[in-house]
Amino acid sequence: MGIESSCDDTSAAVVTSDKNILSNETYTQLIQHQAYGGVVPEIAARAHLEQIQTVVEAAMLKAQMKYEDLDAVAATAGPGLIGGVIVGTMFAKGIALAHNLPYLAINHLEAHALTARLTHDVNFPYLLLLVSGGHCQFVIVHAPAEYTHLGSTIDDAVGEAFDKTGKLLGLGYPAGPQIEKLAKKGNEKRFSLPKPLHKQPHCNFSFSGLKTAARQLIQNEGPFEDQDLWDFCASFQKTISDILCDRTLQAFQMAREKEPKITALVTGGGVAANQYIRERLHGVTKDQHVPLFTPPIELCVDNGAMIAWAGVEHFRLGRQNSLDFMPRPRWPLEDIHYD
Ligand code: KG4
Ligand code: ZN
């Protein structure tokens, strides 16, 4: 079983070691946060507490399992909003203790990093582009708990750039999916926006200059008619994709210097749900002669199945965690250790 509660989704899933997702039940708090234009940590923690039991029981019911049928219980132990992480962790530890099951403390980023192995036959080592609301980074995935960090954002995460710009456009939270939808009707060449760090010989990201330019453009050219809004969304999405493709090229170069046998590019995190971005990245991997693996949309956004799967990856290597494991608000991928 896997439990996810690090942001605004309470999710629980039962996944088998031969890659069957028996259940993946999610309660999303979207409506509770929408009025504030972003996730409010206090509200999130309370909502997790209210929903966790219902969600876990629903996952067990759907999987037609009893707790004693489980092999292990995994839960996100960080990084994330600590109130929610504590709720999921304590619930998982409770199940583990009551039913004498092994407990696994899962790093949320690692779960995104390994999801593609649940849905596709992906071999190590691969290059990972993790793009979500809180994270934006390139990592070489050598094995579970073995990661080499190559580059990350020096300011905002890419999902934040979508969400903050969407807020200025009056779109609801999260704005990423809305911008993708509106962009379909727009002309991506209409507005020219900056691409910070373009062609720089490293694979860090920066989105603050783009965000500022977008704000100024919206202020100067607004209020937008429908067609203006669609054109803006298309231009903004294209600029973000140009940035991601340019940075991915650099990342391939850096990754191959360290690990010549990179088998694939894998994407993870909510922004990887964007179909336009997927197609653009596919162009890059074709040139690099490796496949692109993108999990289905429902497994790109936060979900319990990815936590359960990360649990499987470690559990079959004979690993588990002590019930003393403390939840961590910050927890870089390189700091995952098992004895
Ligand atoms: O991984 P995730 O569900 O939560 C975090 O761990 O952050 O990612 C959420 C982020 C939000 O910023 C949301 O706007 C973005 O992913 N997102 C998208 C799309 N779907 C979700 N961004 C662009 N296009 C999408 N289709
Ligand atoms: Zn996430």
Side-chain angles (χ1 to χ4, degrees), residues 4 6-9 79-80 108-109 112 130-135 157-164 172-181 237 240 268-277 297 299-303 306:
E4 158 60 28
S6 67
C7 191
D8 57 350
D9 293 306
H108 179 89
L109 304 176
H112 278 304
L130 182 59
V131 276
S132 73
H135 303 276
V158 60
E160 257 179 301
F162 270 108
D163 294 338
K164 288 181 181 169
Y173 174 86
Q178 305 242 45
I179 290 179
E180 180 179 14
K181 203 167 130 207
Q237 181 177 255
I240 295 241
V271 179
N274 185 297
Q275 290 292 345
Y276 176 91
I277 293 176
I297 291 168
L299 297 179
C300 278
V301 293
D302 293 346
N303 67 90
M306 71 179 190

Side-chain angles (χ1 to χ4, degrees), residues 12 147 309 325 339:
Y147 301 92
W309 177 252
F325 193 99
D339 298 331

Side-chain angles (χ1 to χ4, degrees), residues 87-105:
V87 170
T89 295
M90 293 310 291
F91 205 85
K93 286 180 177 177
I95 297 171
L97 198 62
H99 300 278
N100 200 21
L101 294 168
Y103 157 75
L104 290 116

Side-chain angles (χ1 to χ4, degrees), residues 28 37 48 77 104 126 133 144-145 169 179 211 225 227 292 320:
T28 176
H48 283 301
L104 290 116
Y126 54 83
L169 295 167
I179 290 179
K211 214 179 59 187
E225 298 291 326
Q227 190 62 52
L292 168 68
Q320 56 176 292

Side-chain angles (χ1 to χ4, degrees), residues 1-6 8-14 22-29 32 44-65 67 70 73-75 84 87-88 91-92 95 302-305 307:
M1 155 158 286
I3 297 175
E4 158 60 28
S5 58
S6 67
D8 57 350
D9 293 306
T10 318
S11 187
V14 179
L22 301 182
S23 62
N24 192 17
E25 301 297 301
T26 300
Y27 170 81
T28 176
Q29 308 171 358
Q32 278 143 293
R46 282 167 206 270
H48 283 301
L49 197 55
E50 281 162 16
Q51 294 300 326
I52 187 108
Q53 184 157 357
T54 311
V55 169
V56 169
E57 282 173 1
M60 294 301 287
L61 199 68
K62 180 110 187 263
Q64 297 191 303
M65 290 272 236
Y67 288 115
L70 296 170
V73 185
V87 170
F91 205 85
I95 297 171
D302 293 346
N303 67 90
I307 306 302

Side-chain angles (χ1 to χ4, degrees), residues 270-302:
V271 179
N274 185 297
Q275 290 292 345
Y276 176 91
I277 293 176
R278 286 175 181 225
E279 275 161 38
R280 292 288 311 277
L281 287 173
H282 196 237
V284 178
T285 52
K286 245 168 84 183
D287 290 345
Q288 296 292 316
H289 308 291
V290 289
L292 168 68
F293 292 111
T294 53
I297 291 168
E298 66 277 12
L299 297 179
C300 278
V301 293
D302 293 346

